[in-house]
Amino acid sequence: MLFSTAIVTHALIFIGRVLGRAIGRAVRGRRVAALVAALVAAPLAVAQSGAARSAAAQNPDDTFLAAREAFRVGNRERLAQLAERLRGHPLEMYADYWQLMLRRADAADADYEAFLARHDNSVLAERTRVEWLRALGKRRAWEQFDAVRPRVAYTEDLEVLCYSALARVMRKDEDGVREAMALWLTPRELPEGCAAMAEQLIAQSRLLDRHVWDRIRALADANQPAALKRTADYLPDSQALDLRQTDAAFNQPEAWLRRGVDLRTRAQRELALIAVGRLARSEPRDAAGWWTRLGKKPFTETEIQWGWAQIGYQAARRLLPEADDWFSHASEIQLSDEYLQWMARAGLRAGDWKLVARAIRDMTPELQRDPAWVYWLARSHKEAGRAEEARALFESIAPDFSFYGQLAAAEFGRPTVIPPVGHVPGKDEVAAIAQLPGFQRALILYRLGLRVDANREWVFSIRGLDDRALLAAAHFARERDLPDRAINTADKTRSVHDFTLRFLSPHADQVRPQAKSLALDDAWVYGLMRQESRFIMNAKSVAGASGLMQLMPATARWVAKKIGLADYHHGRVNDLDTNIALGTNYLKIVLDELHSHQALASAAYNAGPGRPRRWRDVKPMEAAIFAESIPFNETRDYVKKVISNAVFYQALFTGKPASIKDRLPPIPPRRADERGSDTP
């Protein structure tokens, strides 16, 4: 009978200790004792290593995780050994990919080609092509680059985009030049490929001093001082920035302005603009005072308007009423889409429909097509009496299953109606999806807790599927207890739908009685849960929120104490009943504190109850304008989606049409004597 690994290991430890002590005493020499200990430890280490390898060999999951760890620590030899054991395993391509990535610094084209020959049409093939394109661009192998680039279906990799633009700039392609100039303004550190692109633009006299200043301004806006200083290296000596003064203007803007500014040089004028913009981030009104005094000659008209644009932008993000006026002083310069969106929001809060229309008309065509800005441009036409133009725009988005699609439909008195189920996949259709390698890999990765990798596999696998196949994949996800994948997959259908999959309502026996006991609208509760966690029981956010209703530890403790939940500790936060009880009670508390207004309470659930109080106006406000002008991108998107979700859930639960307008009464005004809250 063979002894177990554990017994052998413990025996070796015991024998080693006894022999080490005995021989050490006998020779009374530390070196000999150390040698003996080493001799004993060597077979022990081998035994332990062998035990680990044996376990990995017996369990494919352990082998895969061990290979992943070997990649993480850069152990090529160990990874190669484990890769051999994964041959024939559904995840074997990961080990091959990791091996290639560990030697990508000296990988040959043949290495990339060999990987793609084995593992093409996969998410890792896409990532491999991106790495290969970086390598090809770096060595200017444009013929191969041009052959590989079209095979990457979609990439936002900045370096690949820059190399692609560089190749076109070198061919004097005017569209390539325009693409390169847009990439140059990306407000972040530029990787090697983008630096090469910039050098080529300079060599062709396409990238001029004014373009360098444009990038410096964008980087100042994005709070990127290090990248700003590196960009300043592209300036001619006559316009060079003094780095000490740059630091002072950036970090202590008001003190720098108080010292007195010599505005005779371009560099000093630009530093003054940076200082005014930086001051506006914290004190827009003080910045406006400084710019009223400074913003005249010798500044150019463009520089003067840029100063006001910065102040208007920062004021709009703080919901100051003066933002509308300050933006109006920047009416003749081209602004970024980010500035224009906040110009439109400032106009909405001020009721300045002309400014709203001007801002939207100046947006890039892609952004103009966003349902949000289609809706608000339609509203501006309606307010101006251009009814037919407004009607055409409303009609263009009314069929859209979104917050603004629902609002546009409501303009015609059309409530939200659940479309009929277009197709119920048969067992054979679902079984066919289950056999696809990408879905098989995803299931294993979900089982191993590697959700990010699993989601990538899933998203790649549903790309290009028609509506019926998407519904089959959504059914497959629901059967495998992957509610988030079921929802996200069903969401992608274009004409054949199943809203029972888009708007799953699991745990009804726990959620609906709890909502009823607290007099909460269950459609709204489900709308919020869908947005919070997509019904993943053990979901955990980067910030530390947990469970179906994504509770932060401090909030969960506070609510548990508030409702008298005995013996609560944070380990219980993912317990189904506990999470639902805590989340719904918190939702009830913020709803009661915020005038029973679902938009305000949704914002409070996401960003804390103090913020939506401050985001109101001193006069009543249209709820859609409140939602659109929320200063936090995440919360703005969240509130709109929660309300839209709730409308669909209401229609599903009642079997009757539902109107989004019913959930968006006017936002009550902010009062000076309004009591604060201790709610976290």
Side-chain angles (χ1 to χ4, degrees), residues 404-583:
Y404 282 111
Q406 290 169 315
L407 282 175
E411 290 288 329
F412 304 114
R414 300 174 197 160
T416 295
V417 178
I418 301 299
V421 174
H423 176 63
V424 179
K427 291 183 179 179
D428 55 336
E429 293 174 274
V430 178
I433 287 292
Q435 293 305 309
L436 294 176
F439 290 111
Q440 293 179 359
R441 290 192 293 269
L443 289 180
I444 296 171
L445 291 165
Y446 283 124
R447 188 182 72 229
L448 295 175
L450 303 175
R451 182 164 286 275
V452 172
D453 291 313
N455 284 349
R456 288 195 189 108
E457 288 282 1
W458 191 280
V459 170
F460 186 87
S461 297
I462 65 175
R463 189 173 57 180
L465 296 183
D466 63 22
D467 284 355
R468 288 172 175 252
L470 285 169
L471 291 177
H475 273 271
F476 175 61
R478 184 173 62 179
E479 290 173 3
R480 296 305 179 103
D481 197 25
L482 297 170
D484 61 320
R485 293 302 98 199
I487 290 168
N488 290 8
T489 303
D491 254 346
K492 296 185 182 302
T493 58
R494 295 164 288 277
S495 57
V496 180
H497 307 300
D498 184 344
F499 272 54
T500 64
L501 287 170
R502 285 196 185 202
F503 294 91
L504 293 176
S505 52
H507 316 302
D509 290 344
Q510 290 82 16
V511 176
R512 300 184 81 169
Q514 177 68 15
K516 184 177 181 180
S517 72
L518 294 170
L520 286 174
D521 171 17
D522 59 353
W524 178 49
V525 173
Y526 266 107
L528 184 137
M529 290 173 68
R530 181 184 189 269
Q531 195 58 31
E532 283 288 351
S533 66
R534 289 289 197 267
F535 307 109
I536 301 172
M537 287 281 295
N538 60 350
K540 188 163 185 176
S541 74
V542 174
S546 299
L548 288 176
M549 299 196 72
Q550 289 291 278
L551 293 157
M552 293 294 289
T555 303
R557 285 194 301 271
W558 184 87
V559 177
K561 184 176 180 180
K562 187 89 171 175
I563 66 175
L565 184 61
D567 302 322
Y568 175 76
H569 56 84
H570 196 60
R572 294 178 59 190
V573 74
N574 283 335
D575 171 72
L576 177 63
D577 290 332
T578 301
N579 193 274
I580 291 170
L582 293 174

Side-chain angles (χ1 to χ4, degrees), residues 196-305:
M197 178 195 75
E199 294 292 346
Q200 185 64 32
L201 289 168
I202 292 170
Q204 293 185 11
S205 299
R206 299 299 192 111
L207 200 158
L208 307 176
D209 301 348
R210 62 187 176 87
H211 301 124
V212 179
W213 286 116
D214 287 344
R215 175 165 168 76
I216 287 173
R217 290 177 181 179
L219 290 166
D221 255 1
N223 196 27
Q224 297 281 329
L228 184 157
K229 292 175 187 176
R230 276 185 275 280
T231 300
D233 290 340
Y234 290 99
L235 292 168
D237 291 343
S238 61
Q239 298 182 38
L241 284 175
D242 181 302
L243 295 186
R244 290 183 63 185
Q245 285 207 48
T246 301
D247 282 337
F250 201 89
N251 298 317
Q252 298 176 306
E254 189 159 26
W256 186 86
L257 289 166
R258 287 186 187 282
R259 292 186 196 128
V261 184
D262 181 355
L263 301 174
R264 289 174 294 180
T265 68
R266 175 71 184 268
Q268 288 294 299
R269 294 199 304 275
E270 291 289 347
L271 280 181
L273 283 164
I274 287 173
V276 167
R278 294 293 295 175
L279 180 58
R281 293 171 73 93
S282 56
E283 300 292 344
R285 291 184 174 112
D286 290 352
W290 275 102
W291 198 235
T292 299
R293 296 189 292 274
L294 285 176
K296 302 179 178 69
K297 289 186 177 181
F299 286 99
T300 67
E301 183 59 30
T302 297
E303 290 167 346
I304 292 170
Q305 292 198 33

Side-chain angles (χ1 to χ4, degrees), residues 86-318:
L86 286 169
R87 293 296 168 222
H89 189 275
L91 299 180
E92 72 170 292
M93 73 165 63
Y94 279 82
D96 290 346
Y97 175 76
W98 293 331
Q99 287 180 288
L100 179 58
M101 291 303 100
L102 285 184
R103 54 189 172 82
R104 66 181 177 271
D106 54 3
D109 292 339
D111 296 319
Y112 290 104
E113 290 168 346
F115 179 89
L116 294 169
R118 292 194 303 274
H119 307 300
D120 206 359
N121 193 31
S122 68
V123 67
L124 292 184
E126 290 285 289
R127 295 169 71 181
T128 297
R129 285 192 177 94
V130 168
E131 290 293 341
W132 192 12
L133 286 169
R134 288 176 183 163
L136 292 170
K138 186 173 184 177
R139 67 174 196 263
R140 309 295 191 270
W142 299 125
E143 185 175 347
Q144 284 177 283
F145 186 97
D146 290 342
V148 175
R149 180 69 180 89
R151 298 186 66 191
V152 177
Y154 177 76
T155 180
E156 289 185 335
D157 184 84
L158 181 59
E159 189 159 28
V160 170
L161 294 174
C162 284
Y163 276 133
S164 182
L166 170 60
R168 297 169 70 190
V169 169
M170 293 176 71
R171 293 194 295 266
K172 307 294 177 65
D173 180 325
E174 289 302 315
D175 287 338
V177 171
R178 283 190 286 273
E179 180 185 342
M181 294 302 291
L183 291 168
W184 165 252
L185 292 176
T186 305
R188 49 163 281 195
E189 288 280 10
L190 295 181
E192 183 179 346
C194 299
M197 178 195 75
E199 294 292 346
Q200 185 64 32
L201 289 168
I202 292 170
Q204 293 185 11
S205 299
R206 299 299 192 111
L207 200 158
L208 307 176
D209 301 348
R210 62 187 176 87
H211 301 124
V212 179
W213 286 116
D214 287 344
R215 175 165 168 76
I216 287 173
R217 290 177 181 179
L219 290 166
D221 255 1
N223 196 27
Q224 297 281 329
L228 184 157
K229 292 175 187 176
R230 276 185 275 280
T231 300
D233 290 340
Y234 290 99
L235 292 168
D237 291 343
S238 61
Q239 298 182 38
L241 284 175
D242 181 302
L243 295 186
R244 290 183 63 185
Q245 285 207 48
T246 301
D247 282 337
F250 201 89
N251 298 317
Q252 298 176 306
E254 189 159 26
W256 186 86
L257 289 166
R258 287 186 187 282
R259 292 186 196 128
V261 184
D262 181 355
L263 301 174
R264 289 174 294 180
T265 68
R266 175 71 184 268
Q268 288 294 299
R269 294 199 304 275
E270 291 289 347
L271 280 181
L273 283 164
I274 287 173
V276 167
R278 294 293 295 175
L279 180 58
R281 293 171 73 93
S282 56
E283 300 292 344
R285 291 184 174 112
D286 290 352
W290 275 102
W291 198 235
T292 299
R293 296 189 292 274
L294 285 176
K296 302 179 178 69
K297 289 186 177 181
F299 286 99
T300 67
E301 183 59 30
T302 297
E303 290 167 346
I304 292 170
Q305 292 198 33
W306 172 245
W308 286 116
Q310 291 183 102
I311 297 166
Y313 170 64
Q314 298 295 350
R317 294 180 64 199
R318 281 153 187 76

